[in-house]
Amino acid sequence: MIDFTKAPVHGRVEGIKRALLMLDQVKGQSNSEGVFIIETGTTRGELGGGPESDGWATPLFGWYASINGGKVWTVDIEEAAINQCKEITKDFSSHIEYFVGDSSEILAKADRPIDLLYLDSANDPVIALNELKACEKNISDQTIIYIDDTSLYKKRPGGVCKGVLVYQYLYEKGWDLVFDNGDQIILTKSKGATPGFFGKFLTSLKTQRIYKRVIRKGAL
């Protein structure tokens, strides 16, 4: 059980807590080196508007890794953002690796099974899908996929829905949507059969409709 009363400052409470509670149930099943968490789009401090606006997931991930053992990779294309994150997460820096650069190129370098993948970089659904595919070889049936600024059932402000193509891609491979609060989604590998043609067809129609709305509203 996770005692969140001892956690550092963080935002987006419902989704982050749900993802970590799920991780806490499966940790250690995929490897013996402690948890491995990757996030794209780092905690940006003042550049991101603070915990409620930016989410501040990195300090919470670092805190969790410091307690349970393991490593967090945090990736951002802006060096200034990574520098802010380093200051915010200095208490947990021994459990965090900081990367500046193209997220897909960096994720492709992951060399062990990923326990939790948090996608929160660009608002472009194509970039999110490319990030997923870049590290797909290290995604196991126990991996938890957590995506910000996404909902399959609610229209989001400004049309942002960065995880819609990831959802379609994973659904067709037998993954389930287990959490959707209108702002974030969580996907896990289904224990049942992969969807048939009709299920894939309906999901494709739904996700393409959402994606077209993203394009139309200029939410990239």
Side-chain angles (χ1 to χ4, degrees), residues 11 16 52-53 84 100 111 116 133 150 153 155 172 184 219:
I16 295 175
E52 290 307 316
S53 176
Q84 290 254 346
V100 178
D111 58 359
L116 173 61
K133 289 181 176 180
T150 302
Y153 297 102
K155 290 185 179 180
E172 292 181 355
Q184 300 174 317

Side-chain angles (χ1 to χ4, degrees), residues 31 46 50 103 142 191 212:
N31 62 73
E46 295 177 359
S103 53
Q142 284 75 45
K191 292 180 173 57
K212 288 178 181 179

